[in-house]
């Protein structure tokens, strides 16, 4: 609950946006941010760029990520992102924030029966050939903490250390704790 509350506070407006269209709700901004962070972490990108630049894979163009332009503009104006030394480039405020948001987004998509994203597909990117990519261990640990029984058990079997070191093992179901 502490992480969820902290994210809601970070998703509040960072600066006065007078003259800008009505701000979407915090839940919409958090959902969009989770999707952005999931795409960044899974692709290995460092952040997003508010301006399109050819050949900059480390900072993909924000509007090319396929989200609602109105929401992503407001998402950049939260404390979930921080500006970099380069103009128009933004990074997640902290790696753990990005991992938690990405995990929450991925778990919601996996558990949604209408979504085409399955745990198997997700783990094919996070842990190709059963070996967890070290830069995605935090996301994997949070996925176990936030997911249901099937997600928890699959992740505990795959990488129990990620659950201990990066997630919140206290949030696991009793059967998953015993398995861990």
């Amino acid at each position: 609950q502490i992480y969820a509350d902290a994210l809601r506070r970070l998703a509040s407006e960072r600066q006065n946006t007078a003259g800008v269209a009505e701000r979407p709700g915090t839940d919409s901004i958090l959902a969009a941010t989770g999707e952005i962070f999931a795409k960044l972490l899974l692709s290995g990108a460092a952040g997003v760029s508010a301006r399109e630049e050819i050949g900059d894979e480390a900072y993909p163009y924000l509007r090319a990520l396929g989200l609602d332009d109105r929401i992503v503009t407001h998402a950049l104006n939260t404390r979930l992102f921080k500006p970099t030394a380069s103009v128009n480039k933004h990074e997640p405020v902290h790696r753990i924030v990005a991992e938690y948001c990405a995990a929450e987004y991925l778990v919601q998509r996996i558990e949604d029966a209408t979504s085409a994203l399955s745990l198997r597909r997700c783990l094919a990117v996070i842990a190709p050939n059963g070996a967890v990519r070290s830069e995605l261990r935090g996301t994997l640990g949070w996925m176990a903490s936030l997911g249901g029984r099937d997600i928890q058990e699959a992740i505990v079997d795959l990488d129990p250390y990620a659950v201990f070191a990066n997630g919140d093992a206290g949030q696991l179901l009793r059967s998953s704790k015993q398995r861990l």
Side-chain angles (χ1 to χ4, degrees), residues 3-158:
Y3 281 96
D5 291 344
L7 289 178
R8 292 192 70 73
R9 287 194 183 274
L10 290 172
S12 64
E13 291 181 85
R14 181 171 53 201
Q15 41 184 283
N16 187 5
T17 54
V20 178
E22 187 175 316
R23 183 179 188 271
T26 301
D27 291 336
S28 298
I29 290 174
L30 283 171
T33 303
E35 184 174 352
I36 292 167
F37 288 162
K39 290 177 179 182
L40 292 178
L41 290 171
L42 293 175
S43 69
V48 293
S49 177
R51 192 177 59 157
E52 189 171 18
E53 295 179 22
I54 297 173
D56 191 0
E57 290 82 24
Y59 292 90
Y61 183 47
L62 182 61
R63 288 179 174 73
L65 296 178
L67 292 132
D68 182 356
D69 287 348
R70 189 176 66 90
I71 294 176
V72 296
T73 301
H74 286 283
L76 285 183
N77 196 34
T78 67
R79 292 176 295 233
L80 293 165
F81 289 91
K82 65 180 180 181
T84 66
S86 301
V87 177
N88 293 318
K89 293 186 179 177
H90 305 271
E91 294 177 344
V93 68
H94 195 279
R95 178 117 185 138
I96 295 172
V97 169
E99 291 169 345
Y100 183 89
C101 286
E104 189 173 51
Y105 169 77
L106 292 171
V107 165
Q108 287 174 354
R109 288 283 311 271
I110 291 167
E111 292 180 343
D112 181 3
T114 62
S115 174
L117 185 63
S118 67
L119 179 60
R120 191 173 137 251
R121 284 182 173 185
C122 192
L123 291 179
V125 175
I126 294 174
N129 299 322
V132 179
R133 292 171 39 196
S134 60
E135 69 273 14
L136 295 176
R137 268 192 144 158
T139 305
L140 190 67
W142 282 116
M143 285 176 66
S145 300
L146 299 169
R149 185 181 56 81
D150 293 337
I151 293 174
Q152 289 179 6
E153 289 180 0
I155 293 173
V156 165
D157 290 345
L158 179 65

